[in-house]
Amino acid sequence: MTTNQNSAPVTPTPAPETPLRPEAEVLAQARRRSRRSFIGLGLAGLAGLGGWKWLISQPDDSGIPHPLRQALDANGRLSQAYFKETRLAPEFARSRAKDPRVNGRIGLAEELDPAAWRLRVQGYGAGKTQEFTLADIQALPKVEMTTELKCIEGWSIVVHWAGARLSDFLARYPLATRSGRPADPLNPPADLAPYVGMQTPDEKYYVGLDIASALHPQTLLCYEMNGAPLTAAHGAPLRLVTPLKYGIKHLKRIGTIAFADTRPKDYWAELGYDWNAGH
Ligand SMILES: Nc1nc2c(c(=O)[nH]1)N[C@H]1C(S)=C(S)[C@@H](COP(=O)(O)O)O[C@H]1N2
Ligand SMILES: [Mo]
């Protein structure tokens, strides 16, 4: 993934006609859907959790149709196919939250000037790269959650995070579709990008996500950890938090976001770890 260096960044253009759903409603809906699919699956319920994993783990750079892509193309069945197997990562009492160790500093070597930092987003369509300030992200609904950060090295810790849902960002700024329609996870447009990639500003650490994981209600563009702004070592000013996946996907210090038709490159997948890194 490269950012478009030639085109001048443009001012973010919101999609004003798309009101963001209140947080409680989004979570209630996700829970209802989880419950419904669980009940619906009966004894196969636990295997159903694997269904979501299966959906999001289907590759496809090899010409085999991506099941999600197929679902996305089949307009009517869309939101159903999309969120049927949704589950939420467990949440914990906030009092259980602790500061995690700093783990992994790849891509954090350069001095960061928080005032000069911008999130650069290359839209899925032909549009120019757009730049966002931290204030733009903080203007979106603030979502807080206490979830477990699990590292593939074998440790885990409960952390309280705060930030904006990536899905809210992509509803407000419709950069994930070719048409410029907002990316509503419950009614996704047919031309929604199947993948999203993120990189540190120096492009030394990078992760890829399938779009279903990107639009998951617990996937946050996070700016606070345990009630305080992120420190540099934990990814200031903005990091990814996505608690259904291992820590390797929680990219610290996001510099660029870009949408793609095939799996974006992923630092740890290149070194042999599972590209999806779900748990
Ligand atoms: N930029 C960047 N982000 C990163 C890493 C890294 O090396 N560089 N390591 C990842 C890994 S393996 C983990 S477990 C988490 C740890 O987050 P923490 O340092 O806030 O505990 O960050 C992830 N994000
Ligand atoms: Mo990790």
Side-chain angles (χ1 to χ4, degrees):
M1 178 188 69
T2 50
T3 51
N4 187 344
Q5 308 287 3
N6 300 328
S7 59
V10 296
T11 314
T13 323
E17 75 283 7
T18 315
L20 296 171
R21 288 188 311 282
E23 176 182 350
E25 193 193 313
V26 175
L27 281 179
Q29 195 151 16
R31 288 200 179 101
R32 269 199 308 278
R33 281 164 188 262
S34 307
R35 200 157 49 231
R36 214 182 294 140
S37 67
F38 187 81
I39 292 164
L41 287 163
L43 288 174
L46 287 170
L49 298 181
W52 171 259
K53 283 191 176 171
W54 173 84
L55 174 68
I56 64 177
S57 69
Q58 292 310 295
D60 234 39
D61 303 352
S62 52
I64 300 159
H66 189 293
L68 181 59
R69 183 79 252 163
Q70 278 184 327
L72 291 175
D73 291 342
N75 235 341
R77 317 189 319 262
L78 215 48
S79 67
Q80 229 199 336
Y82 206 59
F83 258 64
K84 201 164 82 190
E85 311 293 358
T86 290
R87 64 192 177 104
L88 293 168
E91 301 205 16
F92 300 83
R94 186 173 177 169
S95 57
R96 290 192 48 190
K98 295 202 171 55
D99 284 346
R101 71 187 78 176
V102 172
N103 207 59
R105 295 173 184 268
I106 304 154
L108 307 182
E110 284 172 10
E111 192 77 34
L112 182 93
D113 174 0
W117 174 90
R118 295 289 182 278
L119 173 65
R120 297 171 57 88
V121 185
Q122 174 70 58
Y124 186 45
K128 291 181 175 172
T129 299
Q130 294 198 25
E131 287 196 355
F132 299 87
T133 62
L134 186 59
D136 293 328
I137 310 301
Q138 289 173 330
L140 293 164
K142 184 177 183 180
V143 172
E144 303 192 36
M145 63 185 190
T146 307
T147 54
E148 205 169 11
L149 175 64
K150 295 190 184 186
C151 178
I152 42 169
E153 290 162 4
W155 56 269
S156 68
I157 187 156
V158 173
V159 183
H160 184 79
W161 306 105
R165 283 199 179 93
L166 183 52
S167 63
D168 283 347
F169 177 77
L170 295 173
R172 176 70 54 81
Y173 303 104
L175 291 159
T177 55
R178 291 210 190 276
S179 60
R181 291 182 57 203
D184 177 351
L186 301 180
N187 187 23
D191 63 345
L192 183 61
Y195 294 102
V196 55
M198 301 192 185
Q199 303 200 7
T200 52
D202 67 3
E203 304 188 353
K204 289 193 171 142
Y205 195 83
Y206 35 89
V207 299
L209 293 177
D210 58 278
I211 201 74
S213 299
L215 298 180
H216 187 277
Q218 291 168 311
T219 297
L220 303 187
L221 296 171
C222 167
Y223 45 79
E224 281 178 19
M225 191 184 86
N226 294 334
L230 287 176
T231 59
H234 287 295
L238 196 67
R239 75 177 295 169
L240 187 66
V241 171
T242 185
L244 288 176
K245 295 189 180 285
Y246 282 108
I248 46 176
K249 293 286 191 188
H250 295 49
L251 184 134
K252 296 187 281 189
R253 194 189 285 185
I254 305 172
T256 59
I257 296 181
F259 300 90
D261 289 316
T262 54
R263 284 182 173 184
K265 65 177 185 167
D266 186 276
Y267 187 90
W268 286 103
E270 285 173 1
L271 296 173
Y273 287 88
D274 173 40
W275 187 88
N276 286 292
H279 56 72

